[in-house]
Amino acid sequence: MKVSVIIPTYNEAGSIASLIQQLRHYDAAGTVEILVVDAGSSDNTMELARVAGATVLRAPKAGRAAQMNYGARQASGDILYFVHADVGIHPEYVATIQQAVAQGYEAGCYRFRFDSKHPLLRLNSFGTRFRGIMSRGGDQTLFVTRDLFWRLQGFDEYYVIMEDFDIIQRIRRQARFLIVPQDVVVSARKYETNSWLRVQVANLTAFSLFFLRVAPTRIARTYKAMLNYR
């Protein structure tokens, strides 16, 4: 079962090369396909990704859902593995994902821990071992068989935000979903730029609007207005 890694990017020059190098280093057999799908970065994300060994695609439409769908259409793998650019990959990712699919799990994600020892962030990380939808998210990476992904018609591009929660809900209605009992490492930069409480309030607000079926464009505007970015 070949794995295709799909990474949506926009101005990720600070992290993309390191991620690709990890993916290559932990792929002992050299069989993993790595696709970086860029939304028109103004920095040198695409050049760095190409030099690091990824196939770089320019997405015809910006937005993570659209970028990941485009990458999936170009991918040749039996398993699609969606990864954010600032995530640290688990060393056994290839074998773990292939084994999960062989055991009948058509999709799944990892738990995560932050690249910070802040006690409140450790609390957040602990929550990712539970099955609740509010404990999920794109930072945990997502693997899904190619067959299931297209049965679901991919990511819903209506969701310019919260696209990961939407697809996980749809996956769980049709297939077995595994939370891998291993961690990927997630950047704490959002929490370092904002306070822990501020991010939690923003997250809770986004979730509330999502469950109330508020338009994703409004959720995105509200979420971005509540946080500082650097």
Side-chain angles (χ1 to χ4, degrees):
M1 292 179 288
K2 181 178 178 180
V3 177
S4 291
V5 179
I6 299 167
I7 309 166
T9 58
Y10 180 73
N11 289 346
E12 293 288 356
S15 58
I16 190 62
S18 174
L19 170 59
I20 295 167
Q21 288 162 5
Q22 285 183 57
L23 289 163
R24 288 289 183 218
H25 179 70
Y26 298 137
D27 172 27
T31 60
V32 171
E33 176 182 50
I34 303 174
L35 303 176
V36 169
V37 189
D38 194 76
S41 293
S42 57
D43 62 12
N44 60 341
T45 295
M46 290 189 287
E47 179 184 355
L48 290 171
R50 195 174 291 112
V51 170
T55 297
V56 179
L57 306 171
R58 177 68 181 268
K61 179 181 176 182
R64 272 205 308 253
Q67 289 169 247
M68 291 187 288
N69 282 344
Y70 184 71
R73 286 193 290 270
Q74 314 307 313
S76 61
D78 309 292
I79 304 169
L80 307 176
Y81 186 35
F82 299 97
V83 179
H84 288 183
D86 59 352
V87 169
I89 293 298
H90 192 277
E92 299 173 3
Y93 80 99
V94 180
T96 301
I97 291 171
Q98 290 175 334
Q99 183 180 36
V101 173
Q103 292 174 344
Y105 293 97
E106 290 186 78
C109 70
Y110 282 77
R111 304 183 312 201
F112 74 58
R113 59 182 173 84
F114 286 99
D115 59 354
S116 167
K117 295 183 179 179
H118 193 290
L120 291 176
L121 293 184
R122 289 185 176 181
L123 180 63
N124 283 35
S125 300
F126 183 77
T128 64
R129 66 189 59 212
F130 302 112
R131 291 191 56 82
I133 190 63
M134 291 182 68
S135 298
R136 304 280 68 81
D139 286 338
Q140 294 171 257
T141 71
L142 173 70
F143 68 86
V144 55
T145 64
R146 183 186 192 89
D147 178 66
L148 175 60
F149 185 77
W150 291 122
R151 290 205 316 267
L152 295 169
Q153 300 182 18
F155 287 95
D156 187 341
E157 296 179 19
Y158 168 72
Y159 288 97
V160 296
I161 189 173
M162 312 296 284
E163 75 289 335
D164 38 12
F165 299 98
D166 168 70
I167 198 170
I168 289 173
Q169 285 185 318
R170 290 187 286 126
I171 286 170
R172 284 179 164 175
R173 295 187 194 113
Q174 293 199 25
R176 297 175 69 199
F177 186 90
L178 176 67
I179 302 170
V180 178
Q182 298 169 340
D183 297 334
V184 293
V185 180
V186 175
S187 171
R189 61 184 176 179
K190 187 188 301 183
Y191 291 87
E192 293 167 350
T193 306
N194 302 272
S195 69
W196 178 86
L197 181 59
R198 187 171 187 168
V199 176
Q200 295 304 109
V201 171
N203 288 345
L204 182 59
T205 300
F207 269 115
S208 299
L209 295 175
F210 173 71
F211 289 123
L212 290 170
R213 301 187 181 278
V214 171
T217 50
R218 180 182 167 190
I219 300 175
R221 286 197 304 270
T222 302
Y223 187 74
K224 290 176 181 178
M226 296 179 73
L227 297 176
N228 294 317
Y229 291 85
R230 66 181 183 188

